[in-house]
Amino acid sequence: MEVNGFGPKGFPESKNDTFLRAACGEETHYIPVWYMYQAGRYLPEFRETQAVQDFISTCRSPEACCELTLYPLKPDPGMRPTQGPLENPFTSPVKALGMEVTMVPGKGPSFPEPLREEQDLEHLRDPAVVASQLDYVFQAITLTRQQLAGHVPLIGFADAPWTLMIYMIEGGGSSTMAQAKPWLYQRPQAGHQLLHILTDVLVPYLVGQVTAGAQALQLFESHAGHLGPQLFTKFALPYIRDVAKRVKAKLQKAGLAPVPMIIFAKDGHFALEELAQAVYEVVGLDWTVMVTLQGNLDPCSLYASKEEIGCLVQQMLDDFGPQRYIANLGRGLYPDMDPKHN
């Protein structure tokens, strides 16, 4: 993983790589913290009608986008990762496909002409040319990475195929998915076709972000909970996996250092095990996931001396902490183990 902070364009070395090291599974001296903020939702100057429309234009300006992305660091230049670029994750790849996107005050991204029929897919641009429409995003990332000067890592992001599909069909946010979910039952072939198109768009989009300077990537499946286990396994998980596999392969082919990838599936608690095996380095949990952990001492450690076993158990307890945890072996006992070591 690209922990040292150097990129293909000779960016300065990272002065704080704790987040990157944690994302790569390395031991760190403290717990890194980052949070997401969206300027259109978070900053009061972008909440009025005219300001919302200006926000779309602002996000197409690399210089303005960079300034907004660096906003959280101005009051407190502490060592916190920042996420960028600031344009809404829906709008960049979807607009590049040829769909009109507007910002509605109090509502967010809106698609005046959503997809309604299978034939509507024919009007989308070829995914192969979409990346060429997104140069302003990549410029914003490069400028932001340069301005950060290695003080904090820069996280690139995109929404996952199913979430993008929802907005393209619903025309905006929805609590029922009354337009999008019927595609999965009534025209599943067209649904898969659209998800394939979106995957083909997202892969070069995310690779382009890394090329431009992003040091980690997060994929948001913001509406995983609307699918449930069966539909998620069929219409979301395969494309989530495909995005990560293809991004990693293209980075390797281009001679670029791999970066840690994060998958965040809102309300996807039923698929945590599958997501953990989906070749992402980090699985993000939403606030609704409350679990108690159990485990995970190596059973073979019971072959060690009692003194060493005691040290290993203590280390395990220290690592997990005293709350919401049940100490256990990572598997069952073996037949030839000394009962006195149990």
Side-chain angles (χ1 to χ4, degrees):
M1 297 297 170
E2 188 211 5
V3 173
N4 61 15
F6 288 104
K9 299 192 177 186
F11 296 109
E13 185 174 2
S14 291
K15 300 173 184 178
N16 174 21
D17 58 9
T18 303
F19 164 78
L20 297 176
R21 292 188 180 280
C24 294
E26 298 183 19
E27 184 175 338
T28 61
H29 296 296
Y30 59 90
I31 299 174
V33 178
W34 77 276
Y35 64 90
M36 182 187 71
Y37 87 103
Q38 294 168 283
R41 187 181 290 174
Y42 174 73
L43 300 180
E45 54 265 42
F46 287 116
R47 292 178 186 162
E48 299 300 325
T49 302
Q50 184 59 44
V52 167
Q53 296 306 317
D54 291 343
F55 181 63
I56 295 180
S57 300
T58 298
C59 288
R60 294 185 65 89
S61 164
E63 293 76 16
C65 187
C66 172
E67 182 178 355
L68 286 172
T69 304
L70 297 176
Y71 182 88
L73 301 180
K74 291 182 179 180
D76 176 14
M79 300 304 178
R80 297 173 295 179
T82 188
Q83 180 186 18
L86 269 182
E87 178 159 12
N88 194 296
F90 316 123
T91 60
S92 298
V94 175
K95 281 198 299 185
L97 277 171
M99 293 192 70
E100 181 184 356
V101 183
T102 62
M103 293 290 286
V104 178
K107 182 179 179 182
S110 178
F111 297 77
E113 299 182 9
L115 305 177
R116 284 290 182 257
E117 302 294 337
E118 184 174 349
Q119 292 77 8
D120 293 339
L121 301 181
E122 299 174 1
H123 302 302
L124 299 177
R125 290 193 183 118
D126 183 350
V129 302
V130 166
S132 64
Q133 308 291 319
L134 298 170
D135 191 56
Y136 65 95
V137 177
F138 305 140
Q139 290 180 31
I141 292 175
T142 297
L143 184 59
T144 303
R145 176 77 186 273
Q146 292 169 341
Q147 292 293 316
L148 286 172
H151 287 290
V152 294
L154 182 62
I155 307 172
F157 67 97
D159 268 352
W162 163 243
T163 292
L164 292 175
M165 177 177 170
I166 289 173
Y167 278 81
M168 294 171 72
I169 295 175
E170 295 285 345
S174 171
S175 60
T176 63
M177 310 297 159
Q179 298 293 333
K181 287 190 70 174
W183 277 55
L184 308 184
Y185 292 102
Q186 299 172 358
R187 46 175 77 98
Q189 185 175 353
H192 281 297
Q193 181 182 353
L194 178 54
L195 291 166
H196 276 293
I197 291 172
L198 291 168
T199 300
D200 289 343
V201 169
L202 288 172
V203 171
Y205 180 50
L206 291 169
V207 171
Q209 292 189 40
V210 176
T211 303
Q215 295 165 281
L217 297 171
Q218 174 151 316
L219 192 70
F220 290 86
E221 191 65 277
S222 303
H223 299 286
H226 286 280
L227 290 175
Q230 293 183 339
L231 289 178
F232 183 85
T233 300
K234 187 175 182 180
F235 290 99
L237 186 60
Y239 302 99
I240 289 173
R241 287 176 177 152
D242 200 28
V243 167
K245 289 179 180 178
R246 290 172 59 184
V247 166
K248 292 174 185 292
K250 284 189 174 292
L251 290 176
Q252 183 178 19
K253 185 176 181 180
L256 297 172
V259 300
M261 295 185 68
I262 308 164
I263 177 63
F264 176 77
K266 174 69 173 65
D267 292 328
H269 53 274
F270 49 80
L272 291 179
E273 183 175 351
E274 291 80 2
L275 291 170
Q277 299 173 2
V279 299
Y280 289 80
E281 284 69 34
V282 181
V283 176
L285 303 179
D286 63 66
W287 70 91
T288 66
V289 177
M290 298 294 291
V291 296
T292 296
L293 299 177
Q294 174 178 288
N296 67 338
L297 187 68
D298 180 2
C300 290
S301 65
L302 297 184
Y303 289 122
S305 66
K306 291 184 178 180
E307 291 75 14
E308 187 173 358
I309 293 172
C311 292
L312 292 171
V313 170
Q314 187 60 55
Q315 180 64 54
M316 178 180 67
L317 297 177
D318 292 342
D319 289 343
F320 279 98
Q323 303 298 324
R324 302 188 68 86
Y325 171 63
I326 300 170
N328 202 338
L329 295 176
R331 196 178 178 184
L333 297 172
Y334 297 158
D336 60 344
M337 288 180 168
D338 186 348
K340 296 179 181 179
H341 287 193
N342 294 351

